[in-house]
Structure formats: structure tokens, C-alpha cells
Amino acid sequence: MQKSGKVKLPPGKRVAVNIGCDFDAQSIWIGSFNLTSPAYMSRGEFGAEVAAPRLLKLFEKYNIKTTWCIPGHTVDTFTDICKEVVAQGHEVAHHGYVHENPTPLSYEQEEKVLLMGLESLDRIGVKPRGYRSPYWDFSPNTLSLLEKYGFQYDSSLMGNDLHPYRPRPVEVHADKANVFGPAYNIVEIPVSWYLDDFPQMEYLTGGQEGMRPTRDIFDRWASIFDYACDQLDGACYVLTTHPQTIGRAHTIQMLEKLIQYMESRGAWFATLGEIYDNYYEE
Ligand SMILES: [Zn+2]
């Protein structure tokens, strides 16, 4: 059985809400899509130079602390804005070096990428407590590596939707039952593609259409929040945004409305680190 837990909420609050900013900037186009032309680099530049400051201003307006998952490449390329994220009291989590897919990497290659990311974050004074895989996927070694380097939580898996849990390794078979191993100590604070702006909004030439109406996305995001609020105790709602996607004029206004809505219904806006600190199992 999965070991899942709850989040201890401050009095009067009904759901822990983390707004995550996966600050990929140019790294996602290089590492995930192999798209390095000036137009793709300009999309990342928009995310770093225009959208990230917009988001920081929005979070300051509502006094919300968020978690920024930042690849080392973004730290090294757009250092000043990453320092500003830290200066404003937001949490920073590890998010690879150049947005690599960890699934095909050898143990040594994956460890090297993990260390490169740690070194970049160290240059802006960050020792991350948590990790988010750039691909929302793992190699068989990822969890062991995260434990080796002292990470307390991960936020990349989908074994639950609205409660944190302890992830387990799974031995995969096609001709008999799969076998789960013992749970890791690390706490998984799960993500969901339904709570990610990128597939729904971001247009990729010749690929993903994106461009969903913001009203549809607001309705889905609010509906998931309502379920967590009304049907569950000690739930966590983990929203994944990307500055270059959510920071556009139409989308940032939708995000502001969502913040207002969730605040009115008792959201506790917390970093992933705070969710980890308040995790308990019954
Ligand atoms: Zn990312």
C-alpha cells in the first residue's frame, strides 16, 4: 500500500497551495527540444527578462511565497533575476542543468548533471531542499541519488494527486505482477499535467497546439481546488507554471483571478519546503 500523508494547515486554512515557477528560460528549448534558434532563445529571454519580474510583482502584491524550480543553465545565464527570486524570499528547488531527460542517463551521467545544478545554485547562495525532474520522469537511479545528496522532497511524480506520499521503487514485469520495493524516506509532493500551464497554453510550431482559452483553464484549476477544499482533509494543491507561459498578459491576469479565488476559499499559500515541514502520516 502507498504511504500517503497530510499537510498540517494553519488555523482557518483548508488546502495547502503551492505555486511552482519552473524557471526554464532558454534551457527547455535547448535541453528538451533541441531548438536553439534565435526565436526560441527569445522566448526564454522573455521568460527571464519580462515575465519573471511580472510574476515576482504579483506574488509580492498578495504576499505569497512560491517555489522556483531553476535549472543551473538559467542561474548561469540570467543570474540577476535568479538572485532577485531568492532576495524576495521565494524557495528555489533543483531542476536539472539544461533541462535534461534523466531517463536515458547512466548513473554517472545523472550524478554529474545533479552536481552541475547544485554548483550553479550554490553560486546564488542556494542549497536546495527539493528536486523537480525537468521531464517529470526518473531513471531507476534518481531517487537513490536524491537521497544520497540529502534532498528532503521531490515534486515530479503522480502516484497521488492531492496528498503527499512516500514514493517506492517498482520492479516492472510484463508477464507477471510488478513488485513495489520499500518506500523511500523522501517525501513526494505530487504534480499533475492538469495543473501545468505548459501543455495547455504553450504553442510549439508543428507540435503542441496549446492556446487553450484561459477561461477553460481557470475552470479546471478552480474545480480541482474546490475538490481539495470540500472533499479532502490536509490536501496539497501543486500548480506548475512557467514564467514564459503564465507571464503573458492574458495568462497572468487569469492567475491573479485564481489567486483571489483560492484566497477567498481558505488557501494556505506555501512553498514546497513548507509543505514538507508540515507533512505527517496518521
Ligand atoms: Zn522545467
Side-chain angles (χ1 to χ4, degrees):
M1 285 281 286
Q2 183 185 89
K3 248 195 211 171
S4 64
K6 292 181 179 177
V7 184
K8 187 176 183 304
L9 299 166
K13 299 295 184 186
R14 298 173 70 182
V15 182
V17 172
N18 174 253
I19 300 179
C21 294
D22 288 13
F23 192 10
D24 303 331
Q26 295 172 332
S27 73
I28 189 170
W29 306 118
I30 304 166
S32 293
F33 295 100
N34 198 23
L35 294 166
T36 57
S37 69
Y40 284 95
M41 292 305 96
S42 72
R43 288 167 72 161
E45 180 187 359
F46 165 78
E49 304 280 356
V50 181
R54 260 182 206 165
L55 283 169
L56 288 175
K57 204 168 144 195
L58 177 69
F59 299 144
E60 193 179 12
K61 180 175 171 185
Y62 290 91
N63 194 24
I64 289 173
K65 295 294 181 252
T66 60
T67 299
W68 291 59
C69 304
I70 313 186
H73 185 274
T74 300
V75 173
D76 293 347
T77 308
F78 300 103
T79 309
D80 288 348
I81 185 69
C82 293
K83 283 183 178 166
E84 190 57 31
V85 167
V86 175
Q88 295 201 17
H90 297 282
E91 182 191 19
V92 172
H94 195 299
H95 196 44
Y97 186 77
V98 69
H99 220 267
E100 305 82 357
N101 178 0
T103 60
L105 300 183
S106 68
Y107 186 94
E108 291 72 26
Q109 288 170 325
E110 192 172 359
E111 186 170 39
K112 187 176 168 211
V113 167
L114 198 66
L115 288 170
M116 284 173 73
L118 284 172
E119 281 161 21
S120 297
L121 293 175
D122 189 54
R123 285 195 276 276
I124 56 165
V126 169
K127 303 230 177 299
R129 301 170 65 192
Y131 175 78
R132 175 168 287 159
S133 160
Y135 259 71
W136 284 8
D137 208 345
F138 281 177
S139 79
N141 301 313
T142 307
L143 278 165
S144 312
L145 276 166
L146 294 179
E147 289 208 333
K148 178 178 174 183
Y149 286 94
F151 285 88
Q152 295 173 324
Y153 71 82
D154 172 71
S155 183
S156 318
L157 299 178
M158 305 168 206
N160 206 311
D161 56 353
L162 296 162
H163 286 287
Y165 68 100
R166 305 271 184 187
R168 293 168 292 172
V170 56
E171 198 183 291
V172 181
H173 301 284
D175 58 347
K176 58 178 181 178
N178 286 352
V179 181
F180 283 101
Y184 284 87
N185 283 328
I186 209 159
V187 171
E188 179 61 41
I189 306 174
V191 294
S192 160
W193 286 113
Y194 296 103
L195 289 172
D196 183 332
D197 60 356
F198 194 84
Q200 307 177 60
M201 299 184 197
E202 196 66 46
Y203 172 69
L204 301 183
T205 316
Q208 175 178 297
E209 187 181 1
M211 298 200 188
R212 304 279 309 164
T214 49
R215 178 171 294 280
D216 290 0
I217 297 163
F218 178 92
D219 287 349
R220 177 188 298 148
W221 288 358
S223 163
I224 295 171
F225 175 82
D226 286 341
Y227 183 86
C229 223
D230 299 333
Q231 309 283 340
L232 304 175
D233 289 324
C236 64
Y237 174 100
V238 178
L239 188 66
T240 301
T241 70
H242 299 77
Q244 59 192 295
T245 308
I246 203 79
R248 295 177 198 283
H250 62 299
T251 47
I252 199 166
Q253 292 179 90
M254 185 271 286
L255 179 63
E256 182 165 5
K257 281 189 195 125
L258 185 74
I259 289 170
Q260 290 168 348
Y261 178 72
M262 293 194 292
E263 195 167 62
S264 76
R265 296 218 58 207
W268 174 49
F269 291 100
T271 63
L272 292 173
E274 288 171 320
I275 290 174
Y276 171 83
D277 290 336
N278 290 280
Y279 173 83
Y280 68 97
E281 288 163 12
E282 283 178 329

